[in-house]
Amino acid sequence: MHIVIIGNGIAGITAARHIRKLSDHKITVISGETDHFFSRTALMYIYMGHMRFEDTKPYEDWFWEKNRIELVRGFVEKVEPQSKLLHFEDGKTLAFDRLLIATGSKSNKFGWPGQDLEGVQGLYSYQDLEGMERYSPGLKRAVIVGGGLIGIEMAEMFHSRHIPVTFLVREKSFWDLVLPLEESQMINRHILENGIDLRLETELKEILPDANGKARAVVTNKGETIECGFVGLTAGVSPNVDFLKDSGIEMGRGVLVNDFLETNIPGVFAAGDCVQLQNPKHGRRPIEAVWYTGRMMGETAAHNIVRGGQSLIPYDPGTWFNSAKFFDIEYQVYGTVLANPPENHAVLYWEHSDGRRSIRLVYDRHTGGILGLNLMGVRYRQEVCVKWLESGTPIEEVLQNLGMANFDPEFYKEYENDVVALYNRQSGRNLTLKKRRGLAGALDFLRA
Amino acid sequence: MNILQKIGLALFTIALLIFLLANGLDSYRLSPENLSVKNEFHKKEILGAAQQLGMMEKTYGSSFAFNGDLKKAMHTAQQVLDEKAKQGLPEGVSEWDYRLGDWAMKDYALQTTKLSATGPVADNPLLFLLLTFGLGILGGLLYIVPKFGELPGIKNNGIYHNPMTRGLKVGLRGAFLGATILGVLVFGMFYLGGGWLWSLLTVIVGSFIAWRVLIKEKSKEEKPARSASPGITGWLGVLTGVLLIGFYVALYWAPQHITAWMHIVDPVSKMLSGNEASQWFLYGLLYTIVVMVMGIRMIAKYRHNKYQIIRTFSVMFFQTAIAFLLPEILVRLNQPYYDFKNIWPLNYSFFFDYNLDNLINSGGLGIFMLVWGIVLIVIGVPVITYFFGKRWYCSWVCGCGGLAETLGDPYRQLSDKSLRAWQYERWIIHAVLAFAVVMTLMVLYTYFTGSHNVLFISSDTVRAWYGFLISSAFAGVVGTGFYPLMGNRVWCRFGCPLAAYLGLVQKFKSRFRITVNGGQCISCGNCSTYCEMGIDVRAYAQRGQDIVRSSCVGCGVCSAVCPRGVLRLENNASDVQERANDLRVIHVKNGELEIENS
Ligand SMILES: Cc1cc2nc3c(=O)[nH]c(=O)nc-3n(C[C@H](O)[C@H](O)[C@H](O)COP(=O)(O)OP(=O)(O)OC[C@H]3O[C@@H](n4cnc5c(N)ncnc54)[C@H](O)[C@@H]3O)c2cc1C
Ligand code: SF4
Ligand code: SF4
């Protein structure tokens, strides 16, 4: 059987690796972007000079041949699921028995005037990185449009090369659709402290060209014109599925799949950013463009592709978690932490006096069960948090054992006592912290 | 870079240039008082030969010209003494004392050159101390201290854009390494007095290892892809490497040409131990200062990270107090020179006859030192490593580690992460451990039996070759000289026999591991890139497997640079045997797999 995978990102590659573990089928992985799998999440570090492109490849180049995973470089233009045939941009074709679509995302563009000028781009692909490299020499200012995770990475990238950045953010405060107000403001402060020209509640109206058709300036909705040689469009991403339009594969915003990551067409599966789940699990969204879901989907899809019709495995990403880094502030979240919590979400929020660290615990006001943890500048142990979350552990029990979740390096100050003290102050209770940081305690808990 | 840093860099460069030039500034003139030879027979003949060559009337402009003639004089003296010895030794004098051996000539050359120097450096050591060490430290600090003003956090910006730190192409790197090895082996023939046997043996062992790795373990087809920057765009690093290599070559094998540096540090040596500075004192002082200044840089860089700060203070302390000052003070107090933290087999001469005799004959303290050294080997290493991993030594105490973690920190990303490098590493480091053990056993056999030959092989030669090949060429020339070419732990990773010993304990019986935080890894590769031991940390992290590797020195930098908080260095007793068994991000559980099988 010939299994073809479109996309050599984390979803496609994880699938290929697991298919190889599970079977001896012929595997072909197609990508139009790069010859080998690399870590998209590390694009910024290449630009910043922390790593070379080579260093972002999780597997050495000989890995693929050794594991009999064939790599094809090229863009698929059209899929014919009925005749089981792929058409490439250059006219070539490829037949498959089973197909995995793992084509990832593309940067959003909202029809801004001038969005296709020279020097205007998003940051998603390796080619985008090359674009940034090309425009950087002599660049006087970059304007970045869209205050999300990729926007702030782009700001950090230019900042690392001492290129002034103006950062246009539509919202009242950075990423406040996701981050609660205090954390969001912490990041505002941190962006400013890094010397970025942060403009909140400011939108892009149009991009002005120079005589050569290159971006020269942007005009904001406040009527201001900002001179710049580069405009970064980072207002989110959406599934990269346009080439599937007339294929007969059912689509929403992404490729629609059932619990087993099957599309409407037997033998055609999808995984990763390009997927839209028909029935997302509780607390999860239908499209989740994050690294680990791509990995999990890839693994699940591999099992189901190999199994064909029988005893398929449902995709279950478990409890929501995520992480990011905003300049120097690390961020981790476990469970449900909402920017605008409903009435039944009670919150305990502790912030360090240096304004760069915080711990937020969200719990059910009525039952007391823990719902979510949000960390800034502090690391927590995923498995401990998830176990608490999945068993709805009462907040007071969580608090007394909170140290167990701490994952900061040795000798780092532990703040859990302060969190408990804060809770005691606010609730009039008199809890004490029973568990401190350490693997032994965490393991006892996890294995109990 | 702000103006202060630019000034600092300029001052440092000036100091470095003066330091390098210092050896060319003095002139050399031989006189009977300057000929530093205590042995009367030797002195008489050498003086005679020198006079015939007209050395006494001549002022030499360089140490090379001076040593050229001095060598001739000594060779003549050697021949004369050999001839005379054949005709009969003077009453009560052993042949050993009478004849002039090669080793003695090396020592005479060094001491005599040093004494014969006159000129700006020899006459004004204090001035030059200020112009080189003083100015260099000042410049370094001016460059480093402003870093404390930046926002705290990982600042690796531009490392791969910087000609100092970006490394060079794998092919070129190989060429450098090959040329160095070849040079060492060829020089080794002369070093051991003309025999090619030991160079040949080394080539055979090396070829065996290459065959194992490339052919037997099939690494030949698995071409490492992680090449470095194009061409020699990392030229500043290459230059630095060449300078370092040159320094070590001079230090070990041509110290008579760097006597000016010894003059410069004479005042410090006299203050500490009361003795004149040898090349080893020069090395120790320079080493300590570098660890201190670059330690401050390390602390500035990681000032948000307490693990790094405390660890750096620790290596600074052990280098300064225990490795450098304490032995000097011991000497001043007429006690044996002893570095309390240097453990066999890294301290490969611990069981040499002269060291054992010295310790045994030095009263209570000497015996204590002997016992202390042995207790560290048999109890200290395994027990402490069981509790904390090998990091307690390699990145908290050790001097080589101390230099690697301070001077070497800017180069840690240049370690080779390929599977092939790991295959080489396992073979080479264990081969060195075996060599160290065998060599030591032979030396001890000789010590106890008095017989120099163990099965036709002279333990003296084995030990000399070990000192030359492993301790000087490997640990020094390649180990440190290759910092800017192959990363800062070349010696610790590929060569150190103590690291091999510690690693075995760490791998098989230790509470230490690096824990991976569930599924948070985004495979970015920062951890692998900055692992100085070339461990592909990401390979473990991305599948949720805790890292248990014998080579990990627990520097904690992978954990520090990880942007997602994935890694934590931890110790735990209850799961020592199954530390790395779980693959926690394997998503589809085994239970579900069984459905299909049933
Ligand atoms: C700058 C940046 C930073 C990020 N940081 C994080 C982070 O910190 N944490 C996190 O969880 N997520 C992060 N993400 C998101 C994460 O990278 C994605 O969720 C993930 O890469 C998606 O993987 P994928 O395999 O679904 O698709 P992709 O990685 O996008 O791979 C799809 C591949 O398919 C190729 N392809 C698409 N269409 C075709 C076609 N028609 N023919 C041939 N080839 C095609 C594409 O060129 C691409 O190579 C980041 C994304 C970016 C851009
Ligand atoms: S694995 Fe981490 S702690 Fe161990 S040597 Fe490498 S970087 Fe240091
Ligand atoms: S462990 Fe951290 S540094 Fe290493 S690859 Fe994963 S996210 Fe990156």
Side-chain angles (χ1 to χ4, degrees), chain A residues 6-11 30-33 40-41 74-76 102-105 123-124 150 153 240 243 272-273 289-291 322, chain B residues 522 564:
Chain A
I6 315 180
N8 69 350
I10 180 68
I30 303 168
S31 168
E33 187 180 7
R40 193 174 300 297
T41 53
F75 269 109
V76 176
T103 51
S105 303
L123 172 60
Y124 190 83
I150 297 183
E153 283 189 2
N240 178 20
F243 72 108
D273 276 20
V290 289
W291 186 260
N322 200 9
Chain B
I522 54 169
R564 295 294 177 271

Side-chain angles (χ1 to χ4, degrees), chain B residues 23-29 59-63 66 113 116-120 122:
Chain B
N23 284 310
L25 295 180
D26 285 351
S27 35
Y28 305 82
R29 193 181 176 100
T59 303
Y60 293 85
S62 79
S63 61
F66 180 77
T113 312
S116 304
T118 55

Side-chain angles (χ1 to χ4, degrees), chain A residues 96-162:
Chain A
F96 62 84
D97 295 307
R98 296 208 178 129
L99 179 69
L100 177 67
I101 301 166
T103 51
S105 303
K106 60 180 190 327
S107 305
N108 286 336
K109 289 183 175 184
F110 291 113
W112 293 291
Q115 67 180 16
D116 295 319
L117 290 170
E118 270 278 293
V120 181
Q121 62 165 78
L123 172 60
Y124 190 83
S125 64
Y126 183 71
Q127 286 70 30
D128 291 338
L129 176 74
E130 290 180 322
M132 284 181 68
E133 282 287 0
R134 208 165 45 244
Y135 296 119
S136 289
L139 184 59
K140 296 270 165 17
R141 176 168 294 276
V143 169
I144 295 170
V145 182
L149 294 177
I150 297 183
I152 195 166
E153 283 189 2
M154 208 186 224
E156 188 177 348
M157 289 160 82
F158 284 120
H159 183 60
S160 77
R161 296 212 191 164
H162 309 290

